[in-house]
Amino acid sequence: MTEPLKLAIAGLGTVGAGIVKIVQTHGDLLEARAGRPIAITAISARSRSKDRGVDLSGYAWEDDPVALARRDDVDVVIEVMGGEDGPAKACVETALGNGKHVVTANKALLAMHGQELAELAEANKAALRYEAAVAGGIPIVKALTEGLAANGIERVMGVMNGTCNYILTVMEDTGADYADVLKDAQELGYAEADPATDVGGFDAAHKLSLLAATAFGTRVDFAGVKIEGIERISLTDIEDAADMGYRIKLLGVARMNEDGLEQRMQPCLVPADSPLGQLEGVSNMVVVEGDFVGQTVYQGPGAGEGPTASAVMGDVMDIARGLVIPAFGAPAKSLVQAPRSTKGADAEYYLRFSLADQAGVLARVATILGEHGISINRMRQYGHADKMAPVLIVTHKVARTRLDGALAEIAGEDVSLAAPVAIRIETV
Ligand code: NAP
Ligand code: HSE
């Protein structure tokens, strides 16, 4: 019989349990497709006694994930514990250092240490794969490193956090409270251990930085991503945006400009009838534009047990077939440190002001915008409450820095009752 590919799984939470289920359900199918059996030999988690809904009795147990990564009866270490440092990093380093392949779903770890880990993998002739780390079940890393490998990539953009898309769309569809919808997303296994990572935009920014490195042949530069989360988006913004024909998405864009790499992750308005605008629930969508292929679009579930385990096992199948390619699509030492672009494309913005309901207040806001060279495209004022007048403005195209100057001045006025909200309107 052909020698099985032997797996160790570090972490038996949402993703780890899903991986066990796939191996146990599809043993024959995996063997037929890979040309060899795929077997779990050892596992690790914090609690040995926790019921995880799967039979773990046939696997060796290690309390310490680093000891797991050293075992002689393991070819591939699957790291699905999470965390940018600590046990996850130690486990992955140990595995790679011992020449074992690593498959991980841990975008935080790779966003922080991707370059050194990719170099370590190559030095030890091991694979470092992370399909599950970006956009859940969508094989976007494979698309970039394989299917689109002959293209110069011009832009990568999309919705890359399932929790945020779930929150924004369920709030719009049901009028439910933000905290309740976030709690649902946690119960469904979508959210990170600290959900502030999701709603703060950091998780999606981790993913964007990995895609940017793969798309542009650059070193991962998470610190270079401009990040804004969805915490300040209210149901009012969601409803007002819908009223004006838009939907709010946490949208990431990576593009190589003349002066360097632009990476931003921020809430944006997109046309409600566009493919991005119609993205519901936990779904993600990634758009890649290549010089020869044109625009390609990838959509699917961005989080959860089944989709994430599916992506992990796709990487395992490649390893079983003998495919070892550089983590970011090009040898790690060839990746360049791109300068950070200081220019972002100008955009239209949706602005929401909470102003004192007094004569002349609106004129004052319009004057400040005008003094900063910001031209108004559309404006609405309705829903007065307790002497507060909500004012919605859609601007013509403007640079964000210019807009920020105007908003800071308006926020400093006595008649401004809450910090203004500004959301970019993205052309898709
Ligand atoms: P989770 O449900 O919280 O599971 C984490 C697992 O890691 C648990 O089994 C936990 O053990 C174990 N663990 C944590 N610290 C450990 C330590 N020091 N030693 C040994 N085991 C430890 O997390 P998850 O949702 O499966 O996510 C795992 C990874 O996948 C994260 O990097 C996450 O970002 C990524 N990811 C998740 C999803 C998703 O939809 N959930 C999607 C894509 C990527 P106990 O169970 O004993 O506490
Ligand atoms: N917390 C992440 C999300 C998991 O909601 O998208 C998938 O990476």
Side-chain angles (χ1 to χ4, degrees), residues 26-101:
H26 281 321
D28 292 343
L29 181 146
L30 299 178
E31 179 174 352
R33 289 185 179 160
R36 63 191 291 199
I38 292 181
I40 298 167
T41 50
I43 52 176
S44 177
R46 278 179 297 217
S47 162
R48 192 168 182 169
S49 57
K50 199 189 268 185
D51 178 8
R52 301 172 190 279
V54 280
D55 178 9
L56 302 172
S57 58
Y59 314 137
W61 177 272
E62 294 281 0
D63 284 325
D64 177 5
V66 172
L68 184 87
R70 279 201 201 100
R71 287 177 68 103
D72 290 335
D73 59 355
V74 169
D75 304 310
V76 182
V77 173
I78 299 176
E79 185 281 302
V80 281
M81 292 183 290
E84 66 186 58
D85 286 300
K89 180 165 180 266
C91 171
V92 168
E93 284 173 340
T94 304
L96 294 174
N98 282 277
K100 297 181 193 305
H101 305 297

Side-chain angles (χ1 to χ4, degrees), residues 170-194:
V170 173
M171 279 175 73
E172 179 178 346
D173 293 346
T174 66
D177 182 62
Y178 174 90
D180 291 339
V181 188
L182 172 57
K183 195 159 160 281
D184 285 351
Q186 289 178 285
E187 283 168 10
L188 289 163
Y190 301 158
E192 297 302 302
D194 175 3

Side-chain angles (χ1 to χ4, degrees), residues 234-246 248 269 349-355 362 365-366 369 376-384 388-395 420-423 425:
S234 66
L235 185 56
T236 310
D237 292 316
I238 294 171
E239 288 170 349
D240 291 345
D243 243 27
M244 291 191 290
Y246 295 107
I248 301 178
L269 295 190
Y349 282 86
Y350 156 99
L351 308 177
R352 178 166 57 82
F353 298 102
S354 303
L355 303 175
L362 197 51
V365 168
L369 290 174
I376 295 173
N377 180 353
R378 285 193 274 162
M379 193 176 74
R380 288 188 188 183
Q381 183 180 11
Y382 53 61
H384 298 56
M388 190 275 281
V391 173
L392 309 181
I393 289 177
V394 173
T395 70
V421 172
I423 309 177
I425 300 176

Side-chain angles (χ1 to χ4, degrees), residues 107 132-133 135-136 160-164 190-192 198 203 207 284 302-303:
K107 49 269 169 158
M160 301 171 198
N161 183 274
T163 301
C164 288
Y190 301 158
E192 297 302 302
D198 293 291
D203 173 78
K207 296 165 179 168
N284 282 189

